[in-house]
Every structure is written in structure tokens, then in C-alpha cells.
Amino acid sequence: MAVKKGVYEITNNEGAICYVDTATKGKKTYGPTWAAICESSQSHRVLEAVIDRLQYRSMNGEPDKSRPTGFVVKINNEVEAFLPGQLSSCNDYIIDNVGERIAVMVDSFDPLSLSLVMREIRVADEEFDIDMVNEALNLVGQANDQGKYVRGTIVGEKIGRIRNRRSAFLLSINGLEAFLPCNQAFFPYIDNVEKLIGHHVLATVLKISLAKMSVVLSMKEPYENLVADLHAPTLQQETTGVVCWVTPYSVYVLLPENTLGVIPRQMYQKKNHSDWLDLTGSLVHCVPFKRRYWDEASGNHQYFIALNQ
């Protein structure tokens, strides 16, 4: 907390209570960057930083360049801090990450030595807006604590190492990266993930892992809570569903009782692909007008539906 404007009370790892003065000129901790660092230490606010160089183990007082341990990052191009490899998403030291813009929060801060250790927060792309990322973290935290829903956008995929196939979708929540495991999604298997990029997803937070710096989502609970237990769809009667995915010809909607609804796009000539993508991850009211059986023997079917606008 700030004891007075610009002066922060920080407890270091040894339990010593220290006061960090960011308001008095001439102090080593003077200025807005140090104030932001203190706020990150106290309230887990995310900061932006740039990877400046590799950090190596020392051997007889000299850096052993065969043994990198992490990165030196610069916060606001001003304050240097250490980002350990195990707290970074870019721990493949073969790749040149110098100059990369990343999002970090303070993992530990000792005001006595001004030693700073950071933890990287995964973002969806390098052009992130740090204020939007902080807003997203607040939304994710509230969703996790209060059982609320978040809306993310598919931006890519994660390929599993063992089977070398998609294990999860990568989502952006206002720039914050999140994972949607394939077994927590309702999408059919589509080889080319590009066909799903830009789709929005309504989800709950399954878990937040600080160790892995990841947010894991699920599409299942919103559907089960908002749609699944409503009355079964009936021809010519309004029902509710979640818009799931879009193809060049159809829009697929998850209806009650695990029923699939299909909106033929030709019915809505004035709506373009972007208009339909904007609807994904949203609840819509619709009316089934035709039933088509997948398998008449088992009774499996889907409905052609129209939006009830």
C-alpha cells in the first residue's frame, strides 16, 4: 500500500518491511516506473517490458554462455529486472527473443537491493494494449471467483507434443492469452484452424495456473447453465441457443438438449461473414422451421432455424 503519495510499503522475501519512495527526486526509486513496479508487487498489476539480453550463470566470475538462466528485461526502457527461464514463455534460448515486447508482473522485489524478479504473463500477440490486458485479468479473476462467463476470440491453436495434433485452441481475451482444450469445446474437428480464427467463444474459467502462466477455459458450463436444460426445440416455436461456428454457407447454433441448429446463410443476404462472426459466442433467439434426421433409426436430428429478430 502507499503510506503517502508516492511512498509504498513493501515486505521483502526476508520479511523486512521497507519503504520505497517514488516521489522524491534524487532517490534511486524516483519516478512513475518505480511506482508502477510497486503497484505490480502489491496488486499484481501487469507491466510491459522488452527483452534486453540473455542472463547467464557465472563461472569464476565470468558468464558461462553455454548456460543461460533467463533474460534481463527493461521496464519502460528504464529499469532492469530478471526474468527466469522457468517464469517465461520464451525459454527456448536458441530463438532470438531480444527486443521482443512482453507483459510481466513482479514475482519478487527486494527494495533493499533493488533486486527485481519478474513473471511473464502470456499475451495473444506482441501488439497488446497493457491496459486491456489488465482489464482482462480482472475479468478472468472475477469469472473465476464468481462463476461468471468470459468471451474470448480464437487466434490460433496449440499442437500437442505426443500426438502432434491440436490439443487446444488459443484465445485472446482483450489481448490476454487463454487456452481452450479441445475436450472443453464444441467445435467439430476442422483440420485448418484458420477456418475458426476470429470466432468468439462464451466460456467459464476452468483454472488459472500461475506456475504455467496460463488461463484454461471451458465452453461446456455456459451451455449447460444457459441452454442445455431448456425445453427441447419444437418446430415453429421460439427457442434459445449459443452461436458456435460459421462456414461460408451455414451458421451452427447449439440448441437445448444437445441439439444442433443450422441457419442457412442464403436467408440473410445482407449479413456478411464478419456480421456472423460477431454473433459467435452469443445467445440468440431462433425458431426451428424444418427438422432433418442424421439417423432416423436412432432419432438423431438437427433443425434448420431462423433468427427471431
Side-chain angles (χ1 to χ4, degrees):
M1 64 178 178
V3 179
K4 61 180 182 179
K5 188 173 182 179
V7 179
Y8 296 84
E9 182 183 301
I10 304 287
T11 304
N12 69 9
N13 288 341
E14 275 75 47
I17 297 175
C18 311
Y19 296 95
V20 181
D21 187 348
T22 68
T24 303
K25 288 185 178 181
K27 294 284 187 180
K28 290 183 179 180
T29 53
Y30 171 72
T33 298
W34 280 106
I37 288 167
C38 290
E39 289 170 7
S40 177
S41 178
Q42 292 179 335
S43 62
H44 306 299
R45 183 168 179 78
V46 181
L47 309 172
E48 54 182 283
V50 173
I51 296 177
D52 188 66
R53 60 188 185 274
L54 283 168
Q55 178 74 47
Y56 301 96
R57 294 184 188 276
S58 293
M59 181 71 70
N60 299 321
E62 295 294 325
D64 180 355
K65 293 197 174 182
S66 67
R67 303 174 70 190
T69 58
F71 305 91
V72 175
V73 301
K74 280 193 173 180
I75 301 166
N76 293 344
N77 204 31
E78 181 181 344
V79 177
E80 289 192 349
F82 177 50
L83 175 63
Q86 67 267 29
L87 299 183
S88 167
S89 67
C90 45
N91 54 9
D92 184 349
Y93 301 118
I94 298 174
I95 300 173
D96 184 7
N97 296 298
V98 172
E100 184 175 328
R101 181 170 171 260
I102 59 174
V104 295
M105 66 170 57
V106 173
D107 190 68
S108 67
F109 174 30
D110 185 353
L112 298 177
S113 63
L114 297 186
S115 171
L116 270 171
V117 177
M118 311 305 288
R119 173 186 296 274
E120 185 179 358
I121 302 301
R122 293 179 183 270
V123 289
D125 66 80
E126 200 176 335
E127 301 304 315
F128 64 88
D129 180 315
I130 198 66
D131 292 328
M132 296 292 283
V133 171
N134 276 296
E135 181 182 324
L137 272 178
N138 287 333
L139 289 173
V140 167
Q142 289 176 18
N144 186 55
D145 294 339
Q146 302 171 23
K148 293 183 176 180
Y149 307 129
V150 293
R151 196 164 180 250
T153 305
I154 296 176
V155 295
E157 63 183 339
K158 181 176 177 59
I159 303 298
R161 293 182 180 179
I162 298 175
R163 297 186 178 180
N164 197 34
R165 61 179 293 174
R166 184 186 306 141
S167 60
F169 297 96
L170 299 180
L171 271 64
S172 171
I173 305 172
N174 290 348
L176 178 70
E177 184 181 89
F179 296 88
L180 174 65
C182 291
N183 63 4
Q184 295 295 323
F186 289 114
F187 301 112
Y189 189 79
I190 298 173
D191 287 338
N192 187 358
V193 75
E194 293 288 332
K195 294 179 180 179
L196 290 174
I197 286 178
H199 282 65
H200 305 301
V201 169
L202 187 66
T204 50
V205 178
L206 204 58
K207 66 178 178 178
I208 299 173
S209 172
L210 282 178
K212 295 183 178 180
M213 298 161 289
S214 65
V215 176
V216 181
L217 304 176
S218 172
M219 291 175 67
K220 291 185 175 181
E221 192 171 322
Y223 171 74
E224 289 168 357
N225 288 347
L226 300 174
V227 175
D229 293 333
L230 297 177
H231 291 299
T234 304
L235 288 173
Q236 305 304 326
Q237 292 193 15
E238 183 182 274
T239 186
T240 301
V242 179
V243 182
C244 194
W245 75 94
V246 177
T247 72
Y249 306 104
S250 303
V251 178
Y252 293 89
V253 181
L254 299 175
L255 300 176
E257 296 197 1
N258 296 305
T259 306
L260 190 63
V262 183
I263 303 173
R265 285 181 56 173
Q266 64 184 9
M267 293 173 55
Y268 301 91
Q269 298 291 329
K270 292 184 179 180
K271 284 187 180 291
N272 59 34
H273 195 71
S274 294
D275 294 331
W276 289 113
L277 282 182
D278 286 343
L279 271 181
T280 53
S282 301
L283 289 174
V284 293
H285 299 296
C286 50
V287 177
F289 62 86
K290 182 181 179 181
R291 181 164 53 192
R292 184 177 75 178
Y293 284 93
W294 291 97
D295 180 356
E296 292 205 33
S298 65
N300 289 334
H301 60 274
Q302 64 182 20
Y303 284 100
F304 288 103
I305 58 177
L307 294 175
N308 195 12
Q309 298 173 312

